[in-house]
Amino acid sequence: TDYRIRELADLIKCNQLAPWMGNSDDKNPSIQAKSRLDRFTKVLPATISSTTLFNMPTFEPLHAAILKESLTEEDLMECRKVIFAIMSMEQKGESLPGAAGQQGQPAGKKGGKREEQYKSMWTE
């Protein structure tokens, strides 16, 4: 299957609901849960073939940071490292895994195909 089953399972685990026994003054948890679920699913592609970033092991720390409620300085440093690593891959002309750059396939024209792959990845 082409579906991102492991990521969907993680999404379900992170967004389980429980009965609410709070005061009427408290913010309604169902509203908070819906906004959290909206934020999580906004960045989660449903299929493996529809993404390049999520197929890159380098991207995993950045994805984990996106899902956090707030970022620490360490998280920001890790995000910068990931972005710089991806920029370095682009400068070295390395192929991308996944949708935009299936490894093991011929690259076609020199440079042209990789430029399109990275353009697609940065758009994502």
Side-chain angles (χ1 to χ4, degrees):
T1 65
D2 190 31
Y3 292 105
R4 303 185 68 79
I5 295 169
R6 184 179 60 88
E7 288 83 356
L8 181 60
D10 291 342
L11 176 77
I12 292 169
K13 286 178 190 174
C14 291
N15 290 286
Q16 289 182 350
L17 296 177
W20 179 48
M21 303 295 183
N23 301 343
S24 58
D25 298 340
D26 295 340
K27 192 171 183 182
N28 189 339
S30 64
I31 294 170
Q32 289 176 329
K34 178 160 179 8
S35 73
R36 178 183 164 112
L37 185 61
D38 287 343
R39 191 178 83 242
F40 279 29
T41 55
K42 191 179 293 185
V43 298
L44 181 69
T47 59
I48 295 169
S49 63
S50 66
T51 182
T52 300
L53 281 175
F54 283 82
N55 293 329
M56 298 172 67
T58 314
F59 180 72
E60 288 191 25
L62 187 59
H63 179 242
I66 289 171
L67 300 179
K68 291 184 178 181
E69 295 292 328
S70 61
L71 298 177
T72 64
E73 281 298 319
E74 290 176 11
D75 293 333
L76 290 173
M77 182 88 76
E78 191 66 32
C79 291
R80 288 183 190 110
K81 285 180 186 177
V82 169
I83 292 168
F84 289 137
I86 294 171
M87 290 170 66
S88 174
M89 287 173 60
E90 183 177 18
Q91 288 175 346
K92 292 176 185 175
E94 295 178 17
S95 336
L96 294 174
Q102 296 292 334
Q103 290 182 339
Q105 291 183 349
K109 296 179 189 173
K110 269 192 174 178
K113 175 107 173 155
R114 282 203 180 98
E115 286 177 18
E116 291 173 21
Q117 291 175 354
Y118 278 97
K119 183 178 180 181
S120 172
M121 189 256 329
W122 288 118
T123 301
E124 186 180 327

